Amino acid sequence: MQVADFDYHLPESLIAQFPPEVRGASRLLHIDGLTREDSHFSALPQFLRAGDVLIFNDTKVIKARVFGKKDSGGAIEALIERVLDEHTALAHIRSSKAPKPGARLIFADRWPATMIERKEDLFKLQFDGEESVLDILEQAGQLPLPPYITHTPDGEDAKRYQTIYARDPGAVAAPTAGLHFTEGLLAQLQVMGVKTGYLTLHVGAGTFQPVRVDDIAEHTMHHERYFIPAATIALIEEAKAQGGRVIAVGTTSLRALEAASQQGFLAQPEGDTNIFITPGYQFRVVDRLITNFHLPKSTLLMLVAAFVGFEEMRSAYQHAVEQEYRFFSYGDAMLLEPKASV
């Protein structure tokens, strides 16, 4: 298939620049084949039943964007892609000239670092001193809002571009399907017998990178780390055995579950994945998907097409545009049934 097959017209006015005034006050589009139902996210419980299990990504967005300068005085901007250990990280760097190995950098006029080596598009940085990379970012970094959100991050973004259950720092982008959930909704689901489990996939900046080839078969996905605890695996196995459905909250949860099952059902609960899910993929774990609306020609839109069907995806997105749903990270959500219903 061609990347152009996954294009659609989106009026700029439908790109959500801010979250809804109240968390969870979003719309929900339920897709079951070519059948559509316009609803609200607060009505999610009516689409679920006792014995279902929701799988959430508990990654926490870090203040990954940090500004500084080179020894030569030239300005740099770094986006920390992955924290390797307390003092080392991989970063995207923007500057007039790329720093070479051994180059000295200083961030926020306070924290020095050395560029150790370049790894393709990323730069390995070694930070001096006793403070950890995460501590430095917390003090000097800026929340890395997606490129289609045009305002400078503020205190409201610090709260709202984070799920209420975020626990494990390491993401440079939020698992946005989870932004709709509130304590009240989780409590309601618990009362009705819907189980909840957690995994961690640290979302990388690659999630926003455009596909630069025409034929999607030639695209190589970026790598992301994931970890699925034994308790979550047990919860999924129990649900499957008892006829419950596994509902991935977000494409990141889905990618982690499916990546872990390439060599057997959840047989690899930890690792790096660059799984690329496109139409024709056979899903091994996930029965339902909650997700936001994705960018035209993006790998995540291809994943949605794989899950619900290509024509179903196109029809759903055309409907969402016509009904003026809000798109992307701060936008509305979809509940997707698979093409071959289970």
Side-chain angles (χ1 to χ4, degrees), residues 166-192:
R167 287 192 286 255
D168 192 346
V172 302
T176 53
L179 298 179
H180 306 283
F181 284 84
T182 64
E183 295 288 359
L185 180 57
L186 290 175
Q188 185 181 354
L189 292 168
Q190 183 179 20
V191 167
M192 61 180 284

PDB file of all heavy atoms in Angstrom, residues 166-192:
ATOM      1  N   ALA A 166      -0.092   8.204  35.494  1.00  0.00           N
ATOM      2  CA  ALA A 166       1.309   8.200  35.052  1.00  0.00           C
ATOM      3  C   ALA A 166       2.236   7.960  36.231  1.00  0.00           C
ATOM      4  O   ALA A 166       2.141   8.638  37.255  1.00  0.00           O
ATOM      5  CB  ALA A 166       1.641   9.523  34.388  1.00  0.00           C
ATOM      6  N   ARG A 167       3.148   6.992  36.088  1.00  0.00           N
ATOM      7  CA  ARG A 167       4.009   6.622  37.213  1.00  0.00           C
ATOM      8  C   ARG A 167       5.487   6.530  36.856  1.00  0.00           C
ATOM      9  O   ARG A 167       6.341   6.804  37.686  1.00  0.00           O
ATOM     10  CB  ARG A 167       3.569   5.251  37.777  1.00  0.00           C
ATOM     11  CG  ARG A 167       2.290   5.255  38.552  1.00  0.00           C
ATOM     12  CD  ARG A 167       2.105   3.938  39.289  1.00  0.00           C
ATOM     13  NE  ARG A 167       1.732   2.862  38.381  1.00  0.00           N
ATOM     14  CZ  ARG A 167       0.496   2.365  38.293  1.00  0.00           C
ATOM     15  NH1 ARG A 167      -0.472   2.868  39.027  1.00  0.00           N
ATOM     16  NH2 ARG A 167       0.236   1.381  37.461  1.00  0.00           N
ATOM     17  N   ASP A 168       5.793   6.110  35.640  1.00  0.00           N
ATOM     18  CA  ASP A 168       7.169   5.748  35.293  1.00  0.00           C
ATOM     19  C   ASP A 168       7.735   6.771  34.302  1.00  0.00           C
ATOM     20  O   ASP A 168       7.405   6.754  33.121  1.00  0.00           O
ATOM     21  CB  ASP A 168       7.188   4.343  34.681  1.00  0.00           C
ATOM     22  CG  ASP A 168       8.578   3.762  34.558  1.00  0.00           C
ATOM     23  OD1 ASP A 168       9.558   4.534  34.698  1.00  0.00           O
ATOM     24  OD2 ASP A 168       8.706   2.546  34.332  1.00  0.00           O
ATOM     25  N   PRO A 169       8.604   7.700  34.742  1.00  0.00           N
ATOM     26  CA  PRO A 169       9.095   8.757  33.859  1.00  0.00           C
ATOM     27  C   PRO A 169       9.936   8.197  32.716  1.00  0.00           C
ATOM     28  O   PRO A 169      10.727   7.274  32.900  1.00  0.00           O
ATOM     29  CB  PRO A 169       9.968   9.626  34.784  1.00  0.00           C
ATOM     30  CG  PRO A 169       9.578   9.247  36.176  1.00  0.00           C
ATOM     31  CD  PRO A 169       9.155   7.819  36.112  1.00  0.00           C
ATOM     32  N   GLY A 170       9.734   8.765  31.522  1.00  0.00           N
ATOM     33  CA  GLY A 170      10.559   8.339  30.397  1.00  0.00           C
ATOM     34  C   GLY A 170       9.999   8.665  29.034  1.00  0.00           C
ATOM     35  O   GLY A 170      10.704   8.525  28.032  1.00  0.00           O
ATOM     36  N   ALA A 171       8.745   9.110  28.933  1.00  0.00           N
ATOM     37  CA  ALA A 171       8.137   9.385  27.637  1.00  0.00           C
ATOM     38  C   ALA A 171       8.372  10.824  27.209  1.00  0.00           C
ATOM     39  O   ALA A 171       8.444  11.729  28.042  1.00  0.00           O
ATOM     40  CB  ALA A 171       6.638   9.104  27.681  1.00  0.00           C
ATOM     41  N   VAL A 172       8.455  11.043  25.905  1.00  0.00           N
ATOM     42  CA  VAL A 172       8.518  12.406  25.371  1.00  0.00           C
ATOM     43  C   VAL A 172       7.204  12.795  24.716  1.00  0.00           C
ATOM     44  O   VAL A 172       7.064  13.892  24.185  1.00  0.00           O
ATOM     45  CB  VAL A 172       9.690  12.583  24.386  1.00  0.00           C
ATOM     46  CG1 VAL A 172      11.005  12.254  25.065  1.00  0.00           C
ATOM     47  CG2 VAL A 172       9.503  11.725  23.146  1.00  0.00           C
ATOM     48  N   ALA A 173       6.230  11.891  24.754  1.00  0.00           N
ATOM     49  CA  ALA A 173       4.879  12.185  24.285  1.00  0.00           C
ATOM     50  C   ALA A 173       3.911  11.388  25.148  1.00  0.00           C
ATOM     51  O   ALA A 173       4.225  10.280  25.596  1.00  0.00           O
ATOM     52  CB  ALA A 173       4.712  11.808  22.817  1.00  0.00           C
ATOM     53  N   ALA A 174       2.752  11.945  25.387  1.00  0.00           N
ATOM     54  CA  ALA A 174       1.770  11.287  26.245  1.00  0.00           C
ATOM     55  C   ALA A 174       1.071  10.157  25.494  1.00  0.00           C
ATOM     56  O   ALA A 174       0.845  10.248  24.290  1.00  0.00           O
ATOM     57  CB  ALA A 174       0.741  12.293  26.731  1.00  0.00           C
ATOM     58  N   PRO A 175       0.695   9.093  26.217  1.00  0.00           N
ATOM     59  CA  PRO A 175      -0.215   8.092  25.636  1.00  0.00           C
ATOM     60  C   PRO A 175      -1.623   8.673  25.684  1.00  0.00           C
ATOM     61  O   PRO A 175      -2.361   8.511  26.652  1.00  0.00           O
ATOM     62  CB  PRO A 175      -0.041   6.883  26.560  1.00  0.00           C
ATOM     63  CG  PRO A 175       0.365   7.468  27.881  1.00  0.00           C
ATOM     64  CD  PRO A 175       1.092   8.755  27.584  1.00  0.00           C
ATOM     65  N   THR A 176      -2.001   9.377  24.623  1.00  0.00           N
ATOM     66  CA  THR A 176      -3.091  10.348  24.713  1.00  0.00           C
ATOM     67  C   THR A 176      -4.478   9.742  24.912  1.00  0.00           C
ATOM     68  O   THR A 176      -5.378  10.428  25.398  1.00  0.00           O
ATOM     69  CB  THR A 176      -3.100  11.260  23.471  1.00  0.00           C
ATOM     70  OG1 THR A 176      -3.118  10.452  22.292  1.00  0.00           O
ATOM     71  CG2 THR A 176      -1.853  12.126  23.460  1.00  0.00           C
ATOM     72  N   ALA A 177      -4.678   8.487  24.541  1.00  0.00           N
ATOM     73  CA  ALA A 177      -5.995   7.881  24.793  1.00  0.00           C
ATOM     74  C   ALA A 177      -6.304   7.850  26.285  1.00  0.00           C
ATOM     75  O   ALA A 177      -7.462   7.907  26.692  1.00  0.00           O
ATOM     76  CB  ALA A 177      -6.050   6.467  24.213  1.00  0.00           C
ATOM     77  N   GLY A 178      -5.266   7.793  27.101  1.00  0.00           N
ATOM     78  CA  GLY A 178      -5.467   7.748  28.545  1.00  0.00           C
ATOM     79  C   GLY A 178      -5.809   9.083  29.166  1.00  0.00           C
ATOM     80  O   GLY A 178      -6.244   9.141  30.324  1.00  0.00           O
ATOM     81  N   LEU A 179      -5.639  10.181  28.407  1.00  0.00           N
ATOM     82  CA  LEU A 179      -5.900  11.507  28.963  1.00  0.00           C
ATOM     83  C   LEU A 179      -7.376  11.714  29.296  1.00  0.00           C
ATOM     84  O   LEU A 179      -7.721  12.599  30.077  1.00  0.00           O
ATOM     85  CB  LEU A 179      -5.441  12.595  27.988  1.00  0.00           C
ATOM     86  CG  LEU A 179      -3.951  12.631  27.650  1.00  0.00           C
ATOM     87  CD1 LEU A 179      -3.669  13.753  26.646  1.00  0.00           C
ATOM     88  CD2 LEU A 179      -3.103  12.811  28.901  1.00  0.00           C
ATOM     89  N   HIS A 180      -8.257  10.904  28.731  1.00  0.00           N
ATOM     90  CA  HIS A 180      -9.696  11.068  28.946  1.00  0.00           C
ATOM     91  C   HIS A 180     -10.170  10.467  30.260  1.00  0.00           C
ATOM     92  O   HIS A 180     -11.282  10.774  30.713  1.00  0.00           O
ATOM     93  CB  HIS A 180     -10.472  10.398  27.805  1.00  0.00           C
ATOM     94  CG  HIS A 180     -10.068  10.849  26.443  1.00  0.00           C
ATOM     95  ND1 HIS A 180     -10.461  12.055  25.902  1.00  0.00           N
ATOM     96  CD2 HIS A 180      -9.286  10.263  25.500  1.00  0.00           C
ATOM     97  CE1 HIS A 180      -9.956  12.180  24.690  1.00  0.00           C
ATOM     98  NE2 HIS A 180      -9.237  11.110  24.416  1.00  0.00           N
ATOM     99  N   PHE A 181      -9.378   9.606  30.862  1.00  0.00           N
ATOM    100  CA  PHE A 181      -9.835   8.870  32.046  1.00  0.00           C
ATOM    101  C   PHE A 181      -9.719   9.712  33.307  1.00  0.00           C
ATOM    102  O   PHE A 181      -8.727  10.406  33.517  1.00  0.00           O
ATOM    103  CB  PHE A 181      -9.040   7.569  32.215  1.00  0.00           C
ATOM    104  CG  PHE A 181      -9.467   6.494  31.256  1.00  0.00           C
ATOM    105  CD1 PHE A 181      -8.951   6.447  29.972  1.00  0.00           C
ATOM    106  CD2 PHE A 181     -10.400   5.542  31.626  1.00  0.00           C
ATOM    107  CE1 PHE A 181      -9.356   5.463  29.078  1.00  0.00           C
ATOM    108  CE2 PHE A 181     -10.811   4.550  30.748  1.00  0.00           C
ATOM    109  CZ  PHE A 181     -10.288   4.519  29.465  1.00  0.00           C
ATOM    110  N   THR A 182     -10.750   9.624  34.147  1.00  0.00           N
ATOM    111  CA  THR A 182     -10.788  10.310  35.437  1.00  0.00           C
ATOM    112  C   THR A 182     -10.881   9.276  36.549  1.00  0.00           C
ATOM    113  O   THR A 182     -11.215   8.100  36.311  1.00  0.00           O
ATOM    114  CB  THR A 182     -12.010  11.235  35.518  1.00  0.00           C
ATOM    115  OG1 THR A 182     -13.213  10.433  35.467  1.00  0.00           O
ATOM    116  CG2 THR A 182     -12.021  12.238  34.361  1.00  0.00           C
ATOM    117  N   GLU A 183     -10.615   9.704  37.770  1.00  0.00           N
ATOM    118  CA  GLU A 183     -10.756   8.809  38.922  1.00  0.00           C
ATOM    119  C   GLU A 183     -12.185   8.285  39.021  1.00  0.00           C
ATOM    120  O   GLU A 183     -12.422   7.118  39.334  1.00  0.00           O
ATOM    121  CB  GLU A 183     -10.364   9.534  40.207  1.00  0.00           C
ATOM    122  CG  GLU A 183      -8.898   9.950  40.287  1.00  0.00           C
ATOM    123  CD  GLU A 183      -7.952   8.779  40.493  1.00  0.00           C
ATOM    124  OE1 GLU A 183      -8.432   7.622  40.597  1.00  0.00           O
ATOM    125  OE2 GLU A 183      -6.724   9.014  40.542  1.00  0.00           O
ATOM    126  N   GLY A 184     -13.151   9.172  38.757  1.00  0.00           N
ATOM    127  CA  GLY A 184     -14.544   8.765  38.834  1.00  0.00           C
ATOM    128  C   GLY A 184     -14.910   7.688  37.830  1.00  0.00           C
ATOM    129  O   GLY A 184     -15.624   6.728  38.155  1.00  0.00           O
ATOM    130  N   LEU A 185     -14.417   7.827  36.604  1.00  0.00           N
ATOM    131  CA  LEU A 185     -14.705   6.833  35.575  1.00  0.00           C
ATOM    132  C   LEU A 185     -14.041   5.502  35.912  1.00  0.00           C
ATOM    133  O   LEU A 185     -14.660   4.434  35.759  1.00  0.00           O
ATOM    134  CB  LEU A 185     -14.224   7.338  34.214  1.00  0.00           C
ATOM    135  CG  LEU A 185     -14.458   6.410  33.024  1.00  0.00           C
ATOM    136  CD1 LEU A 185     -15.929   6.065  32.867  1.00  0.00           C
ATOM    137  CD2 LEU A 185     -13.917   7.032  31.730  1.00  0.00           C
ATOM    138  N   LEU A 186     -12.811   5.538  36.390  1.00  0.00           N
ATOM    139  CA  LEU A 186     -12.128   4.296  36.775  1.00  0.00           C
ATOM    140  C   LEU A 186     -12.868   3.596  37.905  1.00  0.00           C
ATOM    141  O   LEU A 186     -12.994   2.362  37.917  1.00  0.00           O
ATOM    142  CB  LEU A 186     -10.681   4.596  37.173  1.00  0.00           C
ATOM    143  CG  LEU A 186      -9.744   5.012  36.036  1.00  0.00           C
ATOM    144  CD1 LEU A 186      -8.373   5.402  36.587  1.00  0.00           C
ATOM    145  CD2 LEU A 186      -9.602   3.907  34.998  1.00  0.00           C
ATOM    146  N   ALA A 187     -13.362   4.366  38.861  1.00  0.00           N
ATOM    147  CA  ALA A 187     -14.126   3.788  39.971  1.00  0.00           C
ATOM    148  C   ALA A 187     -15.421   3.154  39.472  1.00  0.00           C
ATOM    149  O   ALA A 187     -15.818   2.067  39.915  1.00  0.00           O
ATOM    150  CB  ALA A 187     -14.418   4.859  41.013  1.00  0.00           C
ATOM    151  N   GLN A 188     -16.076   3.815  38.532  1.00  0.00           N
ATOM    152  CA  GLN A 188     -17.310   3.292  37.957  1.00  0.00           C
ATOM    153  C   GLN A 188     -17.061   1.966  37.241  1.00  0.00           C
ATOM    154  O   GLN A 188     -17.849   1.012  37.373  1.00  0.00           O
ATOM    155  CB  GLN A 188     -17.901   4.321  36.987  1.00  0.00           C
ATOM    156  CG  GLN A 188     -19.254   3.942  36.405  1.00  0.00           C
ATOM    157  CD  GLN A 188     -19.766   5.003  35.438  1.00  0.00           C
ATOM    158  OE1 GLN A 188     -19.173   6.077  35.277  1.00  0.00           O
ATOM    159  NE2 GLN A 188     -20.884   4.707  34.781  1.00  0.00           N
ATOM    160  N   LEU A 189     -15.978   1.901  36.506  1.00  0.00           N
ATOM    161  CA  LEU A 189     -15.637   0.676  35.790  1.00  0.00           C
ATOM    162  C   LEU A 189     -15.307  -0.452  36.752  1.00  0.00           C
ATOM    163  O   LEU A 189     -15.685  -1.611  36.534  1.00  0.00           O
ATOM    164  CB  LEU A 189     -14.463   0.941  34.848  1.00  0.00           C
ATOM    165  CG  LEU A 189     -14.761   1.861  33.665  1.00  0.00           C
ATOM    166  CD1 LEU A 189     -13.473   2.278  32.966  1.00  0.00           C
ATOM    167  CD2 LEU A 189     -15.719   1.200  32.672  1.00  0.00           C
ATOM    168  N   GLN A 190     -14.635  -0.119  37.822  1.00  0.00           N
ATOM    169  CA  GLN A 190     -14.288  -1.140  38.824  1.00  0.00           C
ATOM    170  C   GLN A 190     -15.543  -1.739  39.444  1.00  0.00           C
ATOM    171  O   GLN A 190     -15.644  -2.963  39.625  1.00  0.00           O
ATOM    172  CB  GLN A 190     -13.395  -0.533  39.907  1.00  0.00           C
ATOM    173  CG  GLN A 190     -12.930  -1.538  40.949  1.00  0.00           C
ATOM    174  CD  GLN A 190     -12.031  -0.913  42.000  1.00  0.00           C
ATOM    175  OE1 GLN A 190     -12.040   0.297  42.191  1.00  0.00           O
ATOM    176  NE2 GLN A 190     -11.261  -1.728  42.691  1.00  0.00           N
ATOM    177  N   VAL A 191     -16.512  -0.888  39.769  1.00  0.00           N
ATOM    178  CA  VAL A 191     -17.759  -1.351  40.383  1.00  0.00           C
ATOM    179  C   VAL A 191     -18.500  -2.317  39.462  1.00  0.00           C
ATOM    180  O   VAL A 191     -19.087  -3.306  39.920  1.00  0.00           O
ATOM    181  CB  VAL A 191     -18.655  -0.146  40.749  1.00  0.00           C
ATOM    182  CG1 VAL A 191     -20.071  -0.602  41.096  1.00  0.00           C
ATOM    183  CG2 VAL A 191     -18.053   0.630  41.906  1.00  0.00           C
ATOM    184  N   MET A 192     -18.445  -2.062  38.164  1.00  0.00           N
ATOM    185  CA  MET A 192     -19.175  -2.927  37.230  1.00  0.00           C
ATOM    186  C   MET A 192     -18.391  -4.178  36.834  1.00  0.00           C
ATOM    187  O   MET A 192     -18.873  -4.987  36.029  1.00  0.00           O
ATOM    188  CB  MET A 192     -19.602  -2.144  35.992  1.00  0.00           C
ATOM    189  CG  MET A 192     -18.505  -1.560  35.168  1.00  0.00           C
ATOM    190  SD  MET A 192     -19.147  -0.625  33.709  1.00  0.00           S
ATOM    191  CE  MET A 192     -19.595  -1.980  32.617  1.00  0.00           C
TER     192      MET A 192
END
